Amino acid sequence: MMRTRPLKVALLGCGVVGSEVARIMTTHAADLAARIGAPVELAGVAVRRPDRVRAGIDPSLVTTDATALVKRGDIDVVVEVIGGIEPARTLITTAFQHGASVVSANKALIAQDGAALHAAAEEQGRDLYYEAAVAGAIPLIRPLRESMAGDKVNRVLGIVNGTTNFILDKMDTTGAGYQEALDEATALGYAEADPTADVEGFDAAAKAAILSGIAFHSRVLLDDVYREGMTEVTAADFASAKEMGCTIKLLAICERAADGGSVTARVHPAMIPLTHPLASVRGAYNAVFVESEAAGQLMFYGPGAGGSPTASAVLGDLVAVCRNRLAGATGPGDSAYAALPVSPMGEVVTRYHISLDVADKPGVLAQVATVFAEHGVSIDTVRQQGKDGEASLVVVTHRASDASLSGVVEALRGLDTVRGVASIMRVEGE
């Protein structure tokens, strides 16, 4: 039997995502009510610029006083899509204190202060949901937190930023340089005017922190995530990748150590074999590959950004939170019981592709091989090309620690036969 009194929703932010949330709430009101068991009513919309025309939204609902809106006391759910740390953090905690549950799409805030926000929600007996914070429309947090609650996740490997995937895909398929591909992404609206958060890996690092914490039931902070951007990836790197039967992606990688005693979280460009499912992810799409003990290998794929896809995830959380509200219950909260430490990047073990500029003369390969051997790094393959006294030497290693590889590179730079280290890239997904 459906309850007639509506659940009241306050919307913080009415940009690309917020306006789409409001539109779906209005146009799909009957379906949402049937799925929840009660109508949902948009009770207020907090914005910075109240004079802007917002199609489909009653102007009487619009306010610039977000604090007063979340303090009303009759709000059941606050939907936060303004982003950033403040005032979002204060508004969310205030909402809990005044009886509301919260749905958020704020990856930066959840990655930095998720534990404190979960504690605030638990103290007040309220929900904090944030499916839209990680991969847009792709259901990922709920499967990890609920569907796989009885399993043991060992690895999460994914493309979690559509802008960077679009740029790298263009470089791969058309031979374009980085700047040319970035310009196209900007023209098509995939990249912001300032793309730093995307191309330097900050956006993906926040998502990696969230995913690691959920997957491994441990506290992983944004500062724990190793981050390396993709601005130095070149057409030559893609040429080398193709020779190895690989392509290049900016990956978020969250792993449990082989002994199970620690975890790592990192974001960086990497070569992956063309046979790996992530290699075929094109354009601005996202995909996340999950490896667990019982379920095996799972892949989640779809649009990772944009108004409609992100709003889809927000509305999914809204329905879940409203159902909990009617039942007088709350959903899964923070789970950090495992308390696994986060290992430093130096302990991460993977394969490496190293391109060197060297003198084209006898003995160079032997010198280079000796350096690798002295640092305990085993070489898988070597390719050398030379002309007019100069040569390029490409070395692909077996699995080695980041610290060991750093020692190799430092020693190589000390050889008079090595003119320079052209590029270093990790090889993942095998």
Side-chain angles (χ1 to χ4, degrees), residues 30 50 68 73 127 195 213 229-230 244 246 262 284 305 310 325-326 342 363 378 386 405:
D127 276 321
M230 49 155 281
M244 290 179 59
C246 293
S262 65
T310 306
R325 191 84 171 185
L326 290 179
V342 181
S378 177
L405 202 281

Side-chain angles (χ1 to χ4, degrees), residues 358-361 364-365 382-386 391-394:
V358 300
D360 185 17
K361 62 181 184 180
V364 174
L365 179 56
V382 177
R383 186 175 71 255
Q384 183 174 4
Q385 293 178 325
S392 64
L393 189 66
V394 175

Side-chain angles (χ1 to χ4, degrees), residues 372-388:
F372 277 86
E374 289 174 346
H375 288 81
V377 178
S378 177
I379 293 176
D380 182 19
T381 62
V382 177
R383 186 175 71 255
Q384 183 174 4
Q385 293 178 325
K387 183 178 181 181
D388 299 329

Side-chain angles (χ1 to χ4, degrees), residues 9 12-13 46 79 125 139 163 189 240 243 245 291 295 312 327 331 354 361 365 374:
V9 178
L12 307 183
V79 175
T163 300
S240 294
E243 290 179 358
E291 300 174 9
S312 171
I354 305 102
K361 62 181 184 180
L365 179 56
E374 289 174 346

Side-chain angles (χ1 to χ4, degrees), residues 119-146:
E122 184 176 358
E123 182 179 354
Q124 301 298 330
R126 296 294 178 252
D127 276 321
L128 173 63
Y129 277 46
Y130 42 88
E131 184 69 65
V134 172
I138 304 172
L140 185 58
I141 290 178
R142 194 172 288 114
L144 284 173
R145 193 162 62 176
E146 299 179 31

Side-chain angles (χ1 to χ4, degrees), residues 21-38:
V21 169
R23 184 192 68 80
I24 295 173
M25 285 185 63
T26 302
T27 58
H28 295 180
D31 285 337
L32 291 173
R35 294 166 190 175
I36 292 168

Side-chain angles (χ1 to χ4, degrees), residues 351-352 354 365-373 376-383 393-400 408 412:
R351 296 179 68 203
Y352 289 87
I354 305 102
L365 179 56
Q367 280 187 318
V368 170
T370 298
V371 168
F372 277 86
V377 178
S378 177
I379 293 176
D380 182 19
T381 62
V382 177
R383 186 175 71 255
L393 189 66
V394 175
V395 179
V396 180
T397 74
H398 287 290
R399 292 175 65 83
V408 168
L412 288 173

